[in-house]
Amino acid sequence: MLNFGGVCVEINIGEKLRSLRQKNNLTQKELADRCELSKGFISQLESNQTSPSLSTLEDILTTLGSSFHEFFSDERGDNPVWRKEDVFIKETGDGVTIHWLIPNAQKKDIEPIMVTLEPGAKTETDLPHMGEEFGHVLSGAVTLVLGGQRYRVRKGDSFSYKPSEQHYLMNTGKTPATVLWVCTPPNF
């Protein structure tokens, strides 16, 4: 189990190293020789009986044609389906609830969220940034504030823009509003 800034990631380092070594058609002895290590050390690594230093792991990964980024990337790969239990929900306390629909969206090209705004609530003001944003109002109505312009967006309506100006959503209606909102690259 590795801890990255409060996010725990469970990775079987030994199993991943063994798999990577086998994909490269190397024996434990061949890998050990190339990395100036002992065969016993490689065997202990692959059976999780010992842990490598970062510099040793870097040497092994380089020898195997990999990198830290590739090695520690999401083990699930490109799973195309996310379950409702995968959704992270944040209630901001000011009438806004955000559902992050894809875990680890920062590793993807897009970031979809579902935002529910209670009457009178507004999202945080987002500063200008690169990319594009798209939204579709699932229920209620919102006002999109983009730069100095305000646009009323009702249930069934969509919006799309390049976020080159400050922007946010607000609910000036009397019922809650829910919006599917997508940003590329991830920014929420």
Side-chain angles (χ1 to χ4, degrees), residues 64-96:
L64 295 172
S66 189
S67 66
F68 282 119
H69 176 73
E70 291 169 351
F71 188 76
F72 290 109
S73 68
D74 187 0
E75 290 189 69
R76 288 193 285 185
D78 283 340
N79 184 356
V81 177
W82 302 103
R83 305 289 178 207
K84 61 184 171 187
E85 54 271 7
D86 295 324
V87 173
F88 173 73
I89 301 171
K90 177 183 176 185
E91 294 184 22
T92 64
D94 54 1
V96 177

Side-chain angles (χ1 to χ4, degrees), residues 8 15 27 38 44 46 54 57 69 83 106 141 162 183:
C8 291
E15 185 177 303
T27 65
S38 70
Q44 288 179 339
E46 290 184 358
L54 288 176
L57 181 57
H69 176 73
R83 305 289 178 207
Q106 66 275 15
K162 291 196 182 284
C183 181

Side-chain angles (χ1 to χ4, degrees), residues 1-187:
M1 176 99 49
L2 299 172
N3 188 325
F4 294 104
V7 177
C8 291
V9 179
E10 190 169 327
I11 296 176
N12 186 333
I13 291 177
E15 185 177 303
K16 285 190 79 168
L17 283 174
R18 178 184 300 114
S19 175
L20 193 55
R21 175 183 57 78
Q22 290 171 341
K23 283 181 186 175
N24 281 273
N25 295 314
L26 294 174
T27 65
Q28 287 181 341
K29 175 146 180 41
E30 289 169 331
L31 177 60
D33 288 345
R34 290 181 185 190
C35 295
E36 299 180 2
L37 300 167
S38 70
K39 178 188 176 290
F41 182 75
I42 298 295
S43 176
Q44 288 179 339
L45 278 178
E46 290 184 358
S47 62
N48 292 310
Q49 294 176 350
T50 191
S51 298
S53 68
L54 288 176
S55 62
T56 300
L57 181 57
E58 183 178 31
D59 288 345
I60 293 170
L61 293 175
T62 300
T63 300
L64 295 172
S66 189
S67 66
F68 282 119
H69 176 73
E70 291 169 351
F71 188 76
F72 290 109
S73 68
D74 187 0
E75 290 189 69
R76 288 193 285 185
D78 283 340
N79 184 356
V81 177
W82 302 103
R83 305 289 178 207
K84 61 184 171 187
E85 54 271 7
D86 295 324
V87 173
F88 173 73
I89 301 171
K90 177 183 176 185
E91 294 184 22
T92 64
D94 54 1
V96 177
T97 303
I98 303 170
H99 294 75
W100 274 271
L101 302 174
I102 296 177
N104 299 322
Q106 66 275 15
K107 295 179 182 178
K108 307 253 183 230
D109 293 330
I110 63 169
E111 182 176 24
I113 63 171
M114 187 167 54
V115 180
T116 301
L117 296 113
E118 295 299 322
K122 79 176 222 37
T123 62
E124 289 184 20
T125 301
D126 202 4
L127 298 175
H129 57 88
M130 299 296 294
E132 293 186 51
E133 295 191 17
F134 163 84
H136 180 77
V137 180
L138 300 171
S139 66
V142 295
T143 299
L144 166 65
V145 179
L146 180 60
Q149 299 291 320
R150 293 173 182 257
Y151 305 91
R152 188 76 172 151
V153 192
R154 295 177 176 81
K155 178 181 177 180
D157 293 345
S158 299
F159 57 85
S160 179
Y161 56 91
K162 291 196 182 284
S164 58
E165 300 178 282
Q166 289 187 5
H167 51 283
Y168 60 90
L169 296 178
M170 61 185 198
N171 182 352
T172 56
K174 295 181 177 162
T175 61
T178 301
V179 177
L180 175 64
W181 200 353
V182 180
C183 181
T184 180
N187 189 52

